[in-house]
Amino acid sequence: MADHQEASVTLPSDPASVSAARKYVSRVLMEWGLPAEAEVADTVRLIVSELATNAVQHTLGQSPTFTVGLELDRDEQLRIGVTDSHPRYPKRLPAAVQQDNGRGMVIIRWLAAECGGRLSVSPTEEGGKTVWIALPWTAPVEGRPRDPAR
């Protein structure tokens, strides 16, 4: 496998795009060697769903599209980023008993940590932001034995 692989897709900020983003990421990860039935694949799909949903719902119509980007470095780390053009960074909303939303970032951060990863947010040159998740890559690399310490 190459030392660095990248893939991305730009989708309209529409609720239907959340499913399209999830399917795109699943397909790319399978091409890169992560079996669809792997537990971490389910986690990645849920993270992408939450990030894409945030990009659609919380940009207040100021981001007509969002981009899902994937980077795989040296078969060791997977980075998934969702970029939109809205300048406001995601924030944790107060957890009210009656509140049905506002917990997405808490869920994403928890899921990333459970997989040994982390969440970060960085500004774009155009004034928007990218919410990144970095996770250890767990797929076996073809032609190379799997290191059990990883």
Side-chain angles (χ1 to χ4, degrees):
M1 237 183 200
D3 277 351
H4 185 82
Q5 296 189 77
E6 292 185 14
S8 67
V9 64
T10 299
L11 300 164
S13 290
D14 180 89
S17 294
V18 173
S19 174
R22 192 173 48 245
K23 289 175 186 173
Y24 174 79
V25 168
S26 292
R27 188 177 74 247
V28 169
L29 294 181
M30 282 182 21
E31 289 172 5
W32 289 353
L34 184 65
E37 65 277 0
E39 187 175 329
V40 72
D42 288 337
T43 300
V44 168
R45 284 188 288 269
L46 181 53
I47 288 171
V48 168
S49 289
E50 289 290 333
L51 291 176
T53 298
N54 284 351
V56 170
Q57 289 184 346
H58 299 295
T59 58
L60 308 171
Q62 293 182 20
S63 184
T65 63
F66 67 94
T67 300
V68 178
L70 296 104
E71 298 176 4
L72 179 58
D73 288 321
R74 291 180 294 284
D75 300 320
E76 295 174 2
Q77 182 182 38
L78 174 68
R79 284 177 31 109
I80 305 161
V82 175
T83 303
D84 64 58
S85 57
H86 193 283
R88 187 182 69 194
Y89 277 34
K91 61 182 177 181
R92 185 175 165 187
L93 299 176
V97 176
Q98 305 273 329
Q99 192 171 337
D100 289 334
N101 59 18
R103 295 182 185 91
M105 293 306 293
V106 173
I107 292 168
I108 293 166
R109 192 178 303 274
W110 182 83
L111 288 170
E114 282 291 303
C115 294
R118 66 187 187 288
L119 177 139
S120 63
V121 183
S122 59
T124 64
E125 290 181 13
E126 298 79 27
K129 83 260 181 206
T130 302
V131 180
W132 289 102
I133 298 294
L135 302 170
W137 182 248
T138 59
V141 177
E142 292 177 24
R144 194 167 73 187
R146 189 80 176 114
D147 179 356
R150 276 219 246 157

